[in-house]
Amino acid sequence: MAEEHYLELSENPVQFEHASSVNNVFFDEANKQVFAVRSGGATGVVVKGPDNKCSVAFRMDDKGEVKCIKFSIGNKILAVQRTLKSVDFINFIPDYPHTEFTQECKTKNANILGFCWTSWNETVFITDQGIEFYQVFPDKRSLKLLKSQSINVNWYQYCPETAVILLSTTVQGNFLQPFAFRNGTMTKMSKFEIELPVVPKPAKLTLSERDIAMATIYGQLYVMYLKHHSRTVNSPGAEVVLYHLSR
């Protein structure tokens, strides 16, 4: 009888150079790719997918520290964030110019917290003042703003399986605003509140990104909240609270 288990390590794990003073490591949750970015003169990049498949290696000009790097779906366009104000793009489509082009965020005085690819040519900038949804035109080396939404953002999470971005808002961070993306459209879903075990006074950011995760359970999208309690004889210290996101 086979042993029952919940998690199993791959027989062929992804191997990459460890993070160091000259090597940064990034993980793209959408394509399940690991990026090892080595700086010094020109920037060397090695990309490995699940089970070490789809390995890609290339070099690009060193234009500053890389904060985030991701391929679009299908590895057609590479996006690199080096500053808090803009994201650079490089075509990897055959017969297209391999020249970088740049898109600055439209919101004045906003800082980019990160970005997500929702399709091979659509991307979302998440800033501390909202989100900006763009379509990328690799042949013209330009982007078109499809839609934007102003909202104060503490941090965000992205669920690539459902193309839903979750934004943490308000001073305490416990009001969560989800947005869904599909076929060039952005849909604002119902905002909801995470009940905190203790409300701090004065108010401060209490709900952190590490306390929240999104998961598809039996075909339904849920937000999972790790709720901490004071350890007592009758309390293990934490519980997982599920919030169903209706589409």
Side-chain angles (χ1 to χ4, degrees):
M1 181 177 177
E3 294 184 8
E4 295 184 358
H5 55 264
Y6 295 99
L7 296 174
E8 184 180 38
L9 297 178
S10 171
E11 295 181 355
N12 185 23
V14 177
Q15 299 180 21
F16 53 89
E17 186 177 350
H18 64 82
S20 66
S21 59
V22 296
N23 189 67
N24 289 327
V25 178
F26 303 89
F27 178 68
D28 172 22
E29 68 276 10
N31 290 315
K32 305 295 187 290
Q33 292 174 329
V34 175
F35 287 75
V37 181
R38 190 176 183 86
S39 60
T43 301
V45 183
V46 177
V47 187
K48 293 188 176 182
D51 296 326
N52 285 312
K53 296 178 180 178
C54 303
S55 180
V56 179
F58 57 90
R59 302 183 75 83
M60 58 186 184
D61 294 338
D62 191 347
K63 297 182 178 180
E65 180 186 359
V66 174
K67 298 180 180 299
C68 186
I69 182 169
K70 297 176 184 178
F71 268 117
S72 69
I73 297 172
N75 294 353
K76 296 181 181 296
I77 307 170
L78 179 71
V80 185
Q81 182 188 353
R82 298 184 175 97
T83 75
L84 295 175
K85 302 296 183 182
S86 65
V87 177
D88 300 323
F89 297 86
I90 307 173
N91 288 326
F92 275 74
I93 303 174
D95 301 327
Y96 275 58
H98 198 68
T99 307
E100 284 194 20
F101 53 102
T102 303
Q103 178 63 50
E104 294 187 356
C105 64
K106 298 289 187 180
T107 308
K108 188 177 180 180
N109 299 324
N111 291 324
I112 300 175
L113 301 178
F115 64 89
C116 302
W117 286 101
T118 57
S119 75
W120 79 269
N121 68 337
E122 292 172 355
T123 187
V124 183
F125 291 4
I126 300 96
T127 76
D128 54 4
Q129 297 182 32
I131 56 176
E132 301 174 359
F133 183 33
Y134 292 95
Q135 184 176 3
V136 184
F137 296 94
D139 53 340
K140 300 178 181 178
R141 300 199 298 278
S142 64
L143 283 77
K144 176 185 177 182
L145 181 64
L146 300 177
K147 198 170 183 180
S148 62
Q149 178 76 48
S150 296
I151 183 174
N152 290 328
V153 181
N154 301 306
W155 48 263
Y156 74 95
Q157 286 199 5
Y158 178 52
C159 179
E161 291 76 18
T162 56
V164 170
I165 294 177
L166 191 67
L167 306 181
S168 163
T169 69
T170 69
V171 176
Q172 295 174 169
N174 63 320
F175 277 84
L176 302 183
Q177 175 63 69
F179 289 87
F181 298 85
R182 185 177 182 182
N183 298 330
T185 62
M186 180 178 81
T187 304
K188 186 177 182 180
M189 302 169 66
S190 298
K191 180 172 65 174
F192 62 98
E193 179 184 4
I194 299 290
E195 183 180 349
L196 299 174
V198 178
V199 178
K201 292 183 180 180
K204 64 178 181 179
L205 184 61
T206 302
L207 186 68
S208 68
E209 183 180 358
R210 66 181 183 178
D211 294 328
I212 296 292
M214 286 191 287
T216 302
I217 304 174
Y218 296 115
Q220 299 294 317
L221 180 60
Y222 287 86
V223 171
M224 301 186 295
Y225 166 45
L226 182 60
K227 188 175 184 180
H228 297 277
H229 302 281
S230 299
R231 287 187 175 274
T232 63
V233 176
N234 299 321
S235 173
E239 63 178 325
V240 176
V241 182
L242 299 180
Y243 294 82
H244 180 228
L245 293 187
S246 175
R247 299 297 295 272

